[in-house]
Amino acid sequence: MPVFRVTVTERTTKAVNYRNRGGSTEVDFRGTDLMPEVTGHAKVDGKGGRLTVNAEFAHLQPVRIFGGQYLTYVLWAITPEGRAVNLGEVVPGDNGKDKIDVTTDLQALE
């Protein structure tokens, strides 16, 4: 019988409407208790009613350290209404850098 330990972390953040900001917005990422050494950043551009997100992460461990049922990392966005949206799979890159480049029709993200 598998034993799962779940740590729920609650955070509050403000939603940003990237479409109306003009130009690019830089967003920094940091690790959690599960993987505190992870760092990253993203560039969010609003153009033509769409957002492009180019994110890069460093020091991600292989996802299998969490168990065989986990196959990949996924970047999620949270709408101001609280809906989670799967933006896509974080693809392993060269030199320990993992990245994702996506386009979404969302206007505001948390």
Side-chain angles (χ1 to χ4, degrees):
M1 179 153 113
V3 176
F4 295 97
R5 174 182 259 172
V6 177
T7 302
V8 177
T9 303
E10 182 178 348
R11 291 200 166 78
T12 302
T13 186
K14 293 182 180 180
V16 177
N17 186 336
Y18 293 97
R19 185 183 66 164
N20 296 327
R21 293 180 64 85
S24 299
T25 302
E26 297 285 328
V27 178
D28 291 321
F29 297 106
R30 64 178 183 197
T32 65
D33 290 341
L34 292 175
M35 216 179 291
E37 66 278 2
V38 173
T39 59
H41 62 274
K43 180 179 168 186
V44 181
D45 286 308
K47 294 180 184 174
R50 297 191 179 284
L51 295 178
T52 59
V53 180
N54 306 98
E56 189 172 286
F57 304 90
H59 310 294
L60 279 177
Q61 299 297 314
V63 73
R64 67 183 170 271
I65 68 169
F66 298 109
Q69 67 273 31
Y70 298 103
L71 303 174
T72 188
Y73 289 106
V74 175
L75 181 64
W76 292 87
I78 309 297
T79 68
E81 299 79 30
R83 182 173 55 101
V85 178
N86 178 336
L87 294 180
E89 177 182 3
V90 178
V91 178
D94 297 328
N95 303 323
K97 301 280 184 173
D98 303 298
K99 67 180 189 171
I100 183 170
D101 300 314
V102 297
T103 302
T104 180
D105 59 354
L106 296 174
Q107 303 290 319
L109 310 173
E110 290 187 11

